[in-house]
Amino acid sequence: MSEGSIAGRVPAYSLAIDAMGGDNAPDAVLDGIELSAERHPEARFLLLGDEAKLSGLLARRPRAARACSLRHAAEAIPGDMKPTAALRVRGSSMRMAIDAVAVGEAAGVVSAGNTGALMALAKIVLKTLPDIDRPALAAIGPSARGDVVLLDLGANVQYDARNLAEFAVMGDAFARAVLGLPAPTIGLLNVGSEELKGDERVRQAAEILRDSHLGPNFRGFVEGHDITAGTTDVVVTDGFTGNIALKTGEGAMKLMGGLLKQVFTSTILARIGYLLARPALDRLRDYMDPRRYNGAVLVGLNGVVVKSHGGTDALGFAHAVDVALDMVSHGFNERIREGAALLRRGPAAAAPEDGPPAVPPDGASKQEPGRDTPGHETPGLSSTALR
């Protein structure tokens, strides 16, 4: 069955796009699709929004116009609308885009709109995959050894050991589909790396993972500093802890940027030093560019759901589309279905004949910093995508 299909039906559109969601919509959305249409000429998009406004804007973007079919949506979900209120607005561009995925018309949805509304609508309309109790919010961030998948980032404050194990399954599928890693390593975030550390839920989750089909690639407990060190390809935690870790990392990045600016503008010699160091600093800025990591993903649902940062520009939105298309084309949800079924079967399924390959020695699956996954440009997700 094709990703997002219903009863074997192949979706007519690669993605449904909420054209009215976000601070800079619809211009940033359409500019992003213009870029995406050039990168992915085979992709077809269903564009939901104000037809009168969008038709004129599309006419000035020829590649986007050729790749898109426009469908009128009379309403848009504002950024300050509560999720409970958004559920009642059935004619919104966001709701209609999610509905297109639910009926198999599109394989996934991308929106830069209200995060809470998108999560609530997606959970209720699309529902979770078989053997998945709760969806999780995943993102990609930079590390010293390449990109790292982190989940859950706020979808689940309440959780149990089984939820954490399911998050690991989804994180493994995400790293394979989007980062192109053949055998991603997995770590469980804890207050220490020793086996006795953490509460009972975390220790039970570790036992489940050790006995599961993910066991060969499970590296046990990791600590907060291991996220940016790139100790594992996937870091699993609960939504409360994950969101705090994410926002702390974002704040540290902003602090470092501010300090660098302050230092390099403090004296004449410092300004001269900046000119000498500028090429290296430009490379660092490009690698840490939040647009490169734009688009948080709600995983575990019957369809691909990507949330772009509301304030992003065309390049950032195009990266969110890249992520969604990678997930669709690499059978992301089918990987989750298979992994969740093996997890449910328990230790008996720990070594299936056609199971995933063992992790390469010395963590060779990791990417080098600043280098893209072979075969496509590295998409990613920004910590700021959760706003």
Side-chain angles (χ1 to χ4, degrees):
M1 183 182 294
S2 176
E3 196 81 10
S5 61
I6 301 295
R9 174 184 174 186
V10 177
Y13 300 98
S14 307
L15 298 173
I17 306 291
D18 172 16
M20 310 309 292
D23 302 340
N24 303 314
D27 292 276
V29 173
L30 296 181
D31 287 340
I33 295 176
E34 182 81 354
L35 291 174
S36 296
E38 182 178 9
R39 296 176 182 174
H40 310 277
E42 76 289 348
R44 293 296 175 265
F45 305 103
L46 177 61
L47 199 62
L48 290 304
D50 186 333
E51 186 173 8
K53 181 181 294 185
L54 293 174
S55 56
L57 295 173
L58 270 178
R60 299 197 292 271
R61 297 166 174 86
R63 285 191 295 267
R66 287 192 296 269
C68 291
S69 294
L70 181 57
R71 182 173 298 169
H72 181 64
E75 300 183 73
I77 301 295
D80 58 353
M81 179 177 283
K82 293 183 178 180
T84 51
L87 292 172
R88 296 192 291 269
V89 186
R90 294 184 173 273
S92 70
S93 56
M94 182 185 290
R95 174 61 183 264
M96 291 177 65
I98 295 173
D99 285 343
V101 178
V103 300
E105 193 175 10
V109 57
V110 180
S111 174
N114 185 313
T115 302
L118 182 67
M119 290 177 60
L121 285 167
K123 287 180 182 179
I124 290 176
V125 176
L126 298 179
K127 298 179 173 55
T128 58
L129 289 164
D131 298 315
I132 295 295
D133 181 43
R134 297 181 182 185
L137 202 58
I140 297 173
S143 82
R145 298 178 61 206
D147 292 337
V148 174
V149 177
L150 179 63
L151 77 167
D152 178 29
L153 299 176
N156 301 280
V157 176
Q158 308 265 335
Y159 70 99
D160 58 24
R162 192 71 181 182
N163 296 144
L164 291 176
E166 290 173 1
F167 296 166
V169 168
M170 295 188 284
D172 172 79
F174 187 74
R176 292 171 185 269
V178 178
L179 297 184
L181 301 178
T185 54
I186 301 168
L188 198 57
L189 192 61
N190 201 352
V191 295
S193 58
E194 298 86 355
E195 290 189 11
L196 296 179
K197 289 291 183 71
D199 65 21
E200 187 65 22
R201 293 170 296 182
V202 176
R203 294 197 299 271
Q204 286 179 357
E207 288 301 315
I208 293 173
L209 290 173
R210 288 191 187 97
D211 293 338
S212 74
H213 66 288
L214 296 176
N217 296 332
F218 178 58
R219 295 293 176 264
F221 297 137
V222 295
E223 299 180 68
H225 61 81
D226 289 309
I227 300 173
T228 51
T231 303
T232 59
D233 301 307
V234 179
V235 177
V236 176
T237 187
D238 64 277
F240 183 84
T241 306
N243 192 270
I244 291 175
L246 188 72
K247 298 297 175 62
T248 302
E250 179 185 341
M253 290 294 298
K254 289 181 178 178
L255 173 63
M256 184 58 63
L259 290 176
L260 282 172
K261 184 176 181 180
Q262 180 180 332
V263 167
F264 279 118
T265 57
S266 59
T267 66
I268 295 295
L269 287 177
R271 291 176 184 270
I272 295 173
Y274 167 74
L275 293 176
L276 295 174
R278 185 171 180 177
L281 291 171
D282 285 344
R283 289 197 300 272
L284 177 62
R285 182 185 60 193
D286 291 341
Y287 180 57
M288 305 302 291
D289 188 345
R291 296 175 300 178
R292 181 176 173 266
Y293 298 93
N294 181 47
V297 181
L298 192 59
V299 295
L301 298 174
N302 285 292
V304 170
V305 180
V306 176
K307 169 65 176 73
S308 170
H309 188 292
T312 195
D313 61 8
L315 182 59
F317 193 86
H319 273 296
V321 172
D322 286 345
V323 171
L325 289 174
D326 271 347
M327 295 172 73
V328 170
S329 62
H330 291 91
F332 172 70
N333 275 355
E334 189 57 39
R335 293 174 185 266
I336 292 180
R337 290 188 187 97
E338 294 171 357
L342 290 173
L343 186 69
R344 178 174 53 83
R345 286 163 53 189
E353 293 182 3
D354 58 347
V359 63
D362 299 323
S365 66
K366 292 300 295 185
Q367 303 159 267
E368 291 298 321
R371 295 183 61 184
D372 295 335
T373 301
H376 60 81
E377 182 178 4
T378 302
L381 303 100
S382 170
S383 59
T384 54
L386 304 184
R387 291 181 181 175

PDB file of all heavy atoms in Angstrom, residues 143 145 147-149 185-188 217 219-220 222 226-227 229-235 366:
ATOM      1  N   SER A 143      24.660  18.141  15.557  1.00  0.00           N
ATOM      2  CA  SER A 143      25.550  17.645  16.602  1.00  0.00           C
ATOM      3  C   SER A 143      26.970  17.635  16.059  1.00  0.00           C
ATOM      4  O   SER A 143      27.204  17.923  14.880  1.00  0.00           O
ATOM      5  CB  SER A 143      25.150  16.229  17.043  1.00  0.00           C
ATOM      6  OG  SER A 143      25.666  15.253  16.159  1.00  0.00           O
ATOM      7  N   ARG A 145      28.681  15.204  15.344  1.00  0.00           N
ATOM      8  CA  ARG A 145      28.914  14.081  14.425  1.00  0.00           C
ATOM      9  C   ARG A 145      27.833  13.970  13.360  1.00  0.00           C
ATOM     10  O   ARG A 145      27.680  12.924  12.748  1.00  0.00           O
ATOM     11  CB  ARG A 145      29.010  12.783  15.228  1.00  0.00           C
ATOM     12  CG  ARG A 145      30.144  12.743  16.218  1.00  0.00           C
ATOM     13  CD  ARG A 145      30.148  11.439  16.999  1.00  0.00           C
ATOM     14  NE  ARG A 145      30.313  10.288  16.120  1.00  0.00           N
ATOM     15  CZ  ARG A 145      29.869   9.073  16.412  1.00  0.00           C
ATOM     16  NH1 ARG A 145      29.199   8.874  17.531  1.00  0.00           N
ATOM     17  NH2 ARG A 145      30.075   8.078  15.583  1.00  0.00           N
ATOM     18  N   ASP A 147      23.629  15.068  11.981  1.00  0.00           N
ATOM     19  CA  ASP A 147      22.276  15.366  12.459  1.00  0.00           C
ATOM     20  C   ASP A 147      21.760  14.287  13.402  1.00  0.00           C
ATOM     21  O   ASP A 147      22.055  13.094  13.236  1.00  0.00           O
ATOM     22  CB  ASP A 147      21.322  15.509  11.273  1.00  0.00           C
ATOM     23  CG  ASP A 147      21.623  16.749  10.447  1.00  0.00           C
ATOM     24  OD1 ASP A 147      22.231  17.686  10.995  1.00  0.00           O
ATOM     25  OD2 ASP A 147      21.261  16.777   9.256  1.00  0.00           O
ATOM     26  N   VAL A 148      20.973  14.713  14.388  1.00  0.00           N
ATOM     27  CA  VAL A 148      20.430  13.828  15.418  1.00  0.00           C
ATOM     28  C   VAL A 148      18.915  13.980  15.470  1.00  0.00           C
ATOM     29  O   VAL A 148      18.398  15.096  15.414  1.00  0.00           O
ATOM     30  CB  VAL A 148      21.029  14.159  16.804  1.00  0.00           C
ATOM     31  CG1 VAL A 148      20.349  13.344  17.896  1.00  0.00           C
ATOM     32  CG2 VAL A 148      22.526  13.902  16.810  1.00  0.00           C
ATOM     33  N   VAL A 149      18.212  12.872  15.573  1.00  0.00           N
ATOM     34  CA  VAL A 149      16.760  12.874  15.734  1.00  0.00           C
ATOM     35  C   VAL A 149      16.438  12.882  17.222  1.00  0.00           C
ATOM     36  O   VAL A 149      16.989  12.077  17.984  1.00  0.00           O
ATOM     37  CB  VAL A 149      16.130  11.635  15.075  1.00  0.00           C
ATOM     38  CG1 VAL A 149      14.621  11.605  15.309  1.00  0.00           C
ATOM     39  CG2 VAL A 149      16.430  11.612  13.583  1.00  0.00           C
ATOM     40  N   THR A 185      21.656   4.328  15.494  1.00  0.00           N
ATOM     41  CA  THR A 185      21.795   3.959  16.893  1.00  0.00           C
ATOM     42  C   THR A 185      20.803   4.770  17.727  1.00  0.00           C
ATOM     43  O   THR A 185      20.434   5.887  17.375  1.00  0.00           O
ATOM     44  CB  THR A 185      23.219   4.211  17.388  1.00  0.00           C
ATOM     45  OG1 THR A 185      23.582   5.576  17.119  1.00  0.00           O
ATOM     46  CG2 THR A 185      24.198   3.293  16.687  1.00  0.00           C
ATOM     47  N   ILE A 186      20.381   4.195  18.851  1.00  0.00           N
ATOM     48  CA  ILE A 186      19.308   4.771  19.661  1.00  0.00           C
ATOM     49  C   ILE A 186      19.762   4.886  21.102  1.00  0.00           C
ATOM     50  O   ILE A 186      20.358   3.950  21.658  1.00  0.00           O
ATOM     51  CB  ILE A 186      18.039   3.896  19.592  1.00  0.00           C
ATOM     52  CG1 ILE A 186      17.558   3.773  18.144  1.00  0.00           C
ATOM     53  CG2 ILE A 186      16.921   4.460  20.477  1.00  0.00           C
ATOM     54  CD1 ILE A 186      16.502   2.697  17.948  1.00  0.00           C
ATOM     55  N   GLY A 187      19.487   6.033  21.720  1.00  0.00           N
ATOM     56  CA  GLY A 187      19.773   6.238  23.125  1.00  0.00           C
ATOM     57  C   GLY A 187      18.541   6.735  23.855  1.00  0.00           C
ATOM     58  O   GLY A 187      17.700   7.424  23.276  1.00  0.00           O
ATOM     59  N   LEU A 188      18.412   6.376  25.114  1.00  0.00           N
ATOM     60  CA  LEU A 188      17.287   6.778  25.950  1.00  0.00           C
ATOM     61  C   LEU A 188      17.773   7.856  26.916  1.00  0.00           C
ATOM     62  O   LEU A 188      18.684   7.601  27.724  1.00  0.00           O
ATOM     63  CB  LEU A 188      16.747   5.567  26.709  1.00  0.00           C
ATOM     64  CG  LEU A 188      15.356   5.627  27.321  1.00  0.00           C
ATOM     65  CD1 LEU A 188      14.293   5.951  26.283  1.00  0.00           C
ATOM     66  CD2 LEU A 188      15.024   4.283  27.989  1.00  0.00           C
ATOM     67  N   ASN A 217      21.018  -2.112  18.011  1.00  0.00           N
ATOM     68  CA  ASN A 217      21.377  -0.704  17.806  1.00  0.00           C
ATOM     69  C   ASN A 217      21.050   0.172  19.008  1.00  0.00           C
ATOM     70  O   ASN A 217      21.249   1.395  18.938  1.00  0.00           O
ATOM     71  CB  ASN A 217      20.659  -0.149  16.573  1.00  0.00           C
ATOM     72  CG  ASN A 217      21.102  -0.837  15.297  1.00  0.00           C
ATOM     73  OD1 ASN A 217      22.219  -1.306  15.208  1.00  0.00           O
ATOM     74  ND2 ASN A 217      20.207  -0.909  14.324  1.00  0.00           N
ATOM     75  N   ARG A 219      21.827   1.736  22.454  1.00  0.00           N
ATOM     76  CA  ARG A 219      23.053   2.039  23.186  1.00  0.00           C
ATOM     77  C   ARG A 219      22.816   2.391  24.644  1.00  0.00           C
ATOM     78  O   ARG A 219      23.690   2.948  25.313  1.00  0.00           O
ATOM     79  CB  ARG A 219      23.807   3.185  22.491  1.00  0.00           C
ATOM     80  CG  ARG A 219      24.309   2.813  21.095  1.00  0.00           C
ATOM     81  CD  ARG A 219      25.397   1.735  21.214  1.00  0.00           C
ATOM     82  NE  ARG A 219      25.853   1.279  19.908  1.00  0.00           N
ATOM     83  CZ  ARG A 219      25.388   0.199  19.295  1.00  0.00           C
ATOM     84  NH1 ARG A 219      24.437  -0.521  19.863  1.00  0.00           N
ATOM     85  NH2 ARG A 219      25.875  -0.166  18.130  1.00  0.00           N
ATOM     86  N   GLY A 220      21.635   2.093  25.170  1.00  0.00           N
ATOM     87  CA  GLY A 220      21.361   2.334  26.574  1.00  0.00           C
ATOM     88  C   GLY A 220      21.037   3.794  26.865  1.00  0.00           C
ATOM     89  O   GLY A 220      20.516   4.519  26.016  1.00  0.00           O
ATOM     90  N   VAL A 222      21.580   7.762  27.632  1.00  0.00           N
ATOM     91  CA  VAL A 222      22.448   8.888  27.266  1.00  0.00           C
ATOM     92  C   VAL A 222      22.035  10.086  28.107  1.00  0.00           C
ATOM     93  O   VAL A 222      20.923  10.154  28.627  1.00  0.00           O
ATOM     94  CB  VAL A 222      22.354   9.230  25.770  1.00  0.00           C
ATOM     95  CG1 VAL A 222      22.889   8.091  24.919  1.00  0.00           C
ATOM     96  CG2 VAL A 222      20.925   9.580  25.368  1.00  0.00           C
ATOM     97  N   ASP A 226      25.035  14.345  25.526  1.00  0.00           N
ATOM     98  CA  ASP A 226      25.187  13.402  24.423  1.00  0.00           C
ATOM     99  C   ASP A 226      24.372  13.801  23.199  1.00  0.00           C
ATOM    100  O   ASP A 226      24.651  13.328  22.089  1.00  0.00           O
ATOM    101  CB  ASP A 226      24.759  12.004  24.869  1.00  0.00           C
ATOM    102  CG  ASP A 226      25.742  11.382  25.846  1.00  0.00           C
ATOM    103  OD1 ASP A 226      26.943  11.379  25.535  1.00  0.00           O
ATOM    104  OD2 ASP A 226      25.305  10.920  26.926  1.00  0.00           O
ATOM    105  N   ILE A 227      23.366  14.653  23.381  1.00  0.00           N
ATOM    106  CA  ILE A 227      22.548  15.079  22.242  1.00  0.00           C
ATOM    107  C   ILE A 227      23.407  15.833  21.245  1.00  0.00           C
ATOM    108  O   ILE A 227      23.476  15.487  20.059  1.00  0.00           O
ATOM    109  CB  ILE A 227      21.366  15.951  22.707  1.00  0.00           C
ATOM    110  CG1 ILE A 227      20.464  15.180  23.680  1.00  0.00           C
ATOM    111  CG2 ILE A 227      20.556  16.431  21.494  1.00  0.00           C
ATOM    112  CD1 ILE A 227      19.369  16.025  24.301  1.00  0.00           C
ATOM    113  N   ALA A 229      26.669  16.014  21.317  1.00  0.00           N
ATOM    114  CA  ALA A 229      27.885  15.257  21.013  1.00  0.00           C
ATOM    115  C   ALA A 229      27.642  14.265  19.886  1.00  0.00           C
ATOM    116  O   ALA A 229      28.587  13.786  19.256  1.00  0.00           O
ATOM    117  CB  ALA A 229      28.378  14.524  22.258  1.00  0.00           C
ATOM    118  N   GLY A 230      26.364  13.943  19.629  1.00  0.00           N
ATOM    119  CA  GLY A 230      26.046  12.974  18.580  1.00  0.00           C
ATOM    120  C   GLY A 230      26.391  11.551  18.982  1.00  0.00           C
ATOM    121  O   GLY A 230      26.730  10.721  18.137  1.00  0.00           O
ATOM    122  N   THR A 231      26.278  11.245  20.276  1.00  0.00           N
ATOM    123  CA  THR A 231      26.607   9.907  20.763  1.00  0.00           C
ATOM    124  C   THR A 231      25.750   8.842  20.081  1.00  0.00           C
ATOM    125  O   THR A 231      26.235   7.748  19.773  1.00  0.00           O
ATOM    126  CB  THR A 231      26.421   9.845  22.287  1.00  0.00           C
ATOM    127  OG1 THR A 231      27.245  10.853  22.902  1.00  0.00           O
ATOM    128  CG2 THR A 231      26.788   8.478  22.836  1.00  0.00           C
ATOM    129  N   THR A 232      24.472   9.144  19.859  1.00  0.00           N
ATOM    130  CA  THR A 232      23.585   8.249  19.115  1.00  0.00           C
ATOM    131  C   THR A 232      22.863   9.045  18.031  1.00  0.00           C
ATOM    132  O   THR A 232      22.759  10.270  18.107  1.00  0.00           O
ATOM    133  CB  THR A 232      22.547   7.570  20.035  1.00  0.00           C
ATOM    134  OG1 THR A 232      21.760   8.580  20.693  1.00  0.00           O
ATOM    135  CG2 THR A 232      23.226   6.694  21.075  1.00  0.00           C
ATOM    136  N   ASP A 233      22.343   8.331  17.047  1.00  0.00           N
ATOM    137  CA  ASP A 233      21.615   8.979  15.953  1.00  0.00           C
ATOM    138  C   ASP A 233      20.220   9.417  16.379  1.00  0.00           C
ATOM    139  O   ASP A 233      19.675  10.382  15.838  1.00  0.00           O
ATOM    140  CB  ASP A 233      21.476   8.021  14.768  1.00  0.00           C
ATOM    141  CG  ASP A 233      22.820   7.555  14.244  1.00  0.00           C
ATOM    142  OD1 ASP A 233      23.656   8.423  13.962  1.00  0.00           O
ATOM    143  OD2 ASP A 233      23.025   6.325  14.126  1.00  0.00           O
ATOM    144  N   VAL A 234      19.621   8.684  17.328  1.00  0.00           N
ATOM    145  CA  VAL A 234      18.270   8.961  17.797  1.00  0.00           C
ATOM    146  C   VAL A 234      18.301   9.070  19.318  1.00  0.00           C
ATOM    147  O   VAL A 234      18.885   8.208  19.990  1.00  0.00           O
ATOM    148  CB  VAL A 234      17.286   7.846  17.378  1.00  0.00           C
ATOM    149  CG1 VAL A 234      15.870   8.138  17.896  1.00  0.00           C
ATOM    150  CG2 VAL A 234      17.268   7.668  15.863  1.00  0.00           C
ATOM    151  N   VAL A 235      17.704  10.125  19.845  1.00  0.00           N
ATOM    152  CA  VAL A 235      17.580  10.301  21.295  1.00  0.00           C
ATOM    153  C   VAL A 235      16.100  10.294  21.639  1.00  0.00           C
ATOM    154  O   VAL A 235      15.323  11.096  21.109  1.00  0.00           O
ATOM    155  CB  VAL A 235      18.230  11.613  21.765  1.00  0.00           C
ATOM    156  CG1 VAL A 235      18.024  11.802  23.265  1.00  0.00           C
ATOM    157  CG2 VAL A 235      19.723  11.623  21.427  1.00  0.00           C
ATOM    158  N   LYS A 366      27.070   7.529  11.451  1.00  0.00           N
ATOM    159  CA  LYS A 366      26.934   8.969  11.665  1.00  0.00           C
ATOM    160  C   LYS A 366      27.426   9.740  10.456  1.00  0.00           C
ATOM    161  O   LYS A 366      28.334   9.340   9.760  1.00  0.00           O
ATOM    162  CB  LYS A 366      27.729   9.415  12.880  1.00  0.00           C
ATOM    163  CG  LYS A 366      27.189   8.912  14.195  1.00  0.00           C
ATOM    164  CD  LYS A 366      25.797   9.364  14.466  1.00  0.00           C
ATOM    165  CE  LYS A 366      25.700  10.844  14.625  1.00  0.00           C
ATOM    166  NZ  LYS A 366      24.358  11.284  15.003  1.00  0.00           N
TER     167      LYS A 366
END
